[in-house]
């Protein structure tokens, strides 16, 4: 593929003055800026081309070499007078196709790390995501809640409308990287790319930084946010509030706010997904005779439960739909009651007397014990051979 003429790239005639070159470059760079051309896949290549052309034509010596020898002035670092600069900054005019091929690889590699836009050279960096830990009670998780939280965050600076420049002046293209946000260093065959030290990868510098924000385009502030926590949240539920994170650098898009929910332990109810478990102690007499008991529900009410006569410890009973609401709709879970038969303590002598009398009258009242000791006896008999 033959390289386009640098003057053509900028829409100029050969012999254009330094002023004309500068003007043409600004106009083109603005038009082709990747932030404005998200939908135009060719803009990025053209933007690179324009930067490369300007990189050469703005420099008196290199321009003279180009005027005389054309592109061959810079090829392979061997061309005519004034050729390839060591450590080729930015534009890449001094590097052959080998380096360009590498740069594409680097673009892909770095794209994800540098925050924001495709190719990793979004000048206006996206703000960070924020995490806010929210502890709620089980009752709040059951009912859902609305709450105002205070988030320490950074917001767009009002004095400069987020541009970072005093009086709202436009930031200018970084001279070190020609707006690419990255610089390249060639070592032998390899080209290493790294974030531009002058502009920290933003591709733009500010001559007169805003005094309020120091040029960041954002200021620290506590922000009050009202949030809605839906019924059914669990520990680990994340609620995303798009665009409520930190403001971006120099007018970049804001990050998101993530609310991480933690549901506190409850004294009465244990939660297992949408179901609730509740251990209910019952007296020995109630367990033996049967009877009604009242149990609490998470909704704050009470439910009557009939204990069948002869209930053992550990018996499970289900109260349908008395559990937690499902987070994404679809009704409620169940509540399970587990009976814990309580052996009476602190007996009076009269009670002891009654229990002894009861025991002497007991015959077939403890089938589980009877069957257990029968098994034990045959176990021992078998051991004797
Ligand atoms: Zn730079
Ligand atoms: Zn400011």
């Amino acid at each position: 593929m033959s390289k386009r003429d640098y003057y053509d790239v900028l829409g100029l005639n050969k012999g254009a003055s330094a002023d004309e070159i500068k003007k043409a470059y600004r106009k083109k760079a603005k038009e082709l800026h990747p932030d404005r051309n998200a939908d135009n896949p060719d803009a990025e290549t053209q933007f690179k081309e324009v930067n490369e052309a300007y990189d050469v034509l703005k420099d008196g010596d290199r321009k003279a070499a180009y005027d005389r020898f054309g592109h061959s002035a810079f090829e392979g670092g061997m061309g005519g007078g004034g050729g390839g600069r060591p450590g080729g900054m930015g534009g890449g005019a001094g590097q052959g196709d080998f380096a360009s091929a590498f740069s594409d690889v680097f673009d892909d590699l770095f794209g994800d790390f540098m925050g924001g836009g495709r190719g990793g050279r979004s000048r206006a960096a996206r703000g960070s995501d924020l995490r806010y830990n929210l502890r709620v009670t089980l009752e709040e998780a059951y009912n859902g809640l609305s709450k105002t939280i205070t988030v320490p965050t950074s917001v767009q600076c009002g004095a400069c409308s987020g541009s970072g420049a005093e009086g709202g002046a436009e930031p200018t293209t970084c001279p070190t990287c020609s707006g690419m946000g990255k610089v390249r260093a060639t070592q032998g065959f390899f080209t290493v790319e790294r974030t531009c030290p002058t502009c920290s990868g933003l591709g733009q510098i500010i001559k007169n930084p805003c005094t309020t924000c120091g040029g960041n385009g954002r200021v620290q502030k506590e922000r009050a946010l009202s949030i809605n926590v839906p019924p059914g949240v669990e520990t680990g539920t994340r609620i995303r509030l798009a665009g409520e994170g930190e403001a971006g650098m120099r007018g970049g898009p804001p990050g998101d706010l993530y609310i991480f929910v933690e549901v506190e332990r409850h004294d009465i109810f244990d939660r297992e997904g949408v179901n609730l478990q509740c251990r209910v102690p019952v007296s020995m007499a109630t367990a033996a005779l049967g009877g009604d008991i009242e149990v609490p529900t998470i909704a704050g009410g009470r439910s009557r439960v009939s204990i069948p006569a002869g209930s053992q410890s550990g018996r499970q009973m289900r109260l349908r739909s008395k559990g937690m609401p499902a987070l994404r709709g679809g009704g409620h879970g169940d509540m399970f009651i587990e009976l814990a038969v309580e052996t009476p303590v602190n007996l009076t002598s009269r009670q002891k007397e009654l229990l002894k009398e009861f025991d002497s009258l007991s015959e077939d009242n403890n089938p589980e014990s009877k069957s257990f000791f029968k098994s034990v006896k045959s176990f021992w008999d078998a051991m004797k051979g």
Side-chain angles (χ1 to χ4, degrees):
M1 200 180 81
S2 70
K3 233 173 149 77
R4 277 180 73 200
D5 179 80
Y6 284 153
Y7 289 96
D8 281 351
V9 167
L10 294 176
L12 291 166
N13 293 319
K14 258 197 188 350
S17 71
D19 244 352
E20 286 174 314
I21 291 169
K22 201 173 190 177
K23 249 189 190 156
Y25 167 71
R26 281 199 175 156
K27 190 165 156 264
K28 286 273 179 194
K30 226 176 198 172
E31 278 172 21
L32 296 169
H33 198 289
D35 288 351
R36 286 193 185 177
N37 288 278
D39 301 324
N40 179 3
D42 295 328
E44 195 180 345
T45 320
Q46 289 168 18
F47 187 69
K48 272 185 190 166
E49 250 184 334
V50 163
N51 273 300
E52 186 183 317
Y54 181 60
D55 213 26
V56 170
L57 296 182
K58 74 180 176 190
D59 179 324
D61 288 348
R62 306 181 80 209
K63 179 173 179 292
Y66 179 74
D67 287 345
R68 208 165 152 207
F69 299 107
H71 287 301
S72 60
F74 309 109
E75 262 156 29
M78 302 198 306
R85 292 178 300 171
M89 298 297 216
Q95 298 147 15
D97 287 343
F98 189 69
S100 322
F102 257 96
S103 101
D104 288 344
V105 172
F106 274 108
D107 283 353
D108 287 347
L109 283 179
F110 286 152
D112 290 341
F113 295 112
M114 315 253 313
R118 222 174 77 74
R121 69 177 69 82
S122 161
R123 273 127 208 92
R126 181 178 177 274
S128 305
D129 292 337
L130 289 177
R131 174 181 175 149
Y132 185 94
N133 295 330
L134 180 68
R135 273 175 80 93
V136 300
T137 63
L138 190 64
E139 291 92 326
E140 286 171 330
Y142 178 84
N143 290 308
L145 74 153
S146 299
K147 199 177 169 104
T148 302
I149 60 172
T150 313
V151 187
T153 184
S154 55
V155 297
Q156 194 177 75
C157 171
C160 62
S161 309
S163 73
E166 187 67 59
E170 286 278 305
T172 54
T173 302
C174 170
T176 307
C177 63
S178 309
M180 302 302 282
K182 285 179 278 185
V183 290
R184 293 180 193 154
T186 308
Q187 294 166 341
F189 283 116
F190 294 98
T191 300
V192 177
E193 273 198 12
R194 61 194 172 89
T195 303
C196 171
T198 309
C199 62
S200 307
L202 293 172
Q204 294 181 326
I205 54 159
I206 289 161
K207 289 231 169 68
N208 302 307
C210 167
T211 47
T212 307
C213 63
N216 282 329
R218 51 187 193 182
V219 288
Q220 291 296 317
K221 203 182 170 186
E222 295 233 307
R223 210 152 44 110
L225 270 179
S226 57
I227 56 167
N228 283 310
V229 179
V233 290
E234 293 179 69
T235 294
T237 299
R238 293 194 313 177
I239 300 168
R240 175 167 169 264
L241 299 180
E244 300 288 3
E246 290 207 318
M249 285 272 276
R250 295 183 197 164
D256 299 332
L257 173 69
Y258 287 93
I259 295 171
F260 281 62
V261 176
E262 187 191 343
V263 181
E264 291 171 7
R265 281 191 65 84
H266 197 274
D267 287 342
I268 299 172
F269 302 103
D270 282 324
R271 183 182 191 175
E272 280 162 25
V274 289
N275 295 329
L276 292 174
Q277 183 88 27
C278 178
R279 195 167 173 272
V280 181
V282 290
S283 72
M284 196 173 69
T286 305
L289 300 172
D292 287 354
I293 58 165
E294 265 185 349
V295 295
T297 59
I298 186 64
R302 48 186 78 190
S303 269
R304 220 168 176 65
V305 178
S306 289
I307 309 289
S311 288
Q312 303 296 338
S313 224
R315 180 173 193 147
Q316 296 259 359
M317 305 172 78
R318 183 207 296 254
L319 299 180
R320 286 197 189 276
S321 300
K322 298 283 186 194
M324 298 295 286
L327 186 54
R328 310 207 185 286
H332 287 65
D334 300 329
M335 174 173 157
F336 291 89
I337 293 168
E338 184 186 321
L339 298 183
V341 178
E342 189 171 21
T343 305
V345 295
N346 305 324
L347 300 176
T348 63
S349 47
R350 170 79 180 127
Q351 286 171 319
K352 286 180 191 166
E353 218 172 276
L354 286 170
L355 277 177
K356 277 178 188 159
E357 191 184 344
F358 172 82
D359 197 40
S360 68
L361 295 173
S362 294
E363 186 84 17
D364 278 330
N365 304 111
N366 300 300
E368 198 179 329
S369 306
K370 204 169 174 182
S371 120
F372 176 75
F373 287 113
K374 208 175 148 196
S375 300
V376 169
K377 189 174 178 299
S378 53
F379 172 72
W380 280 335
D381 289 349
M383 297 277 275
K384 273 182 231 158

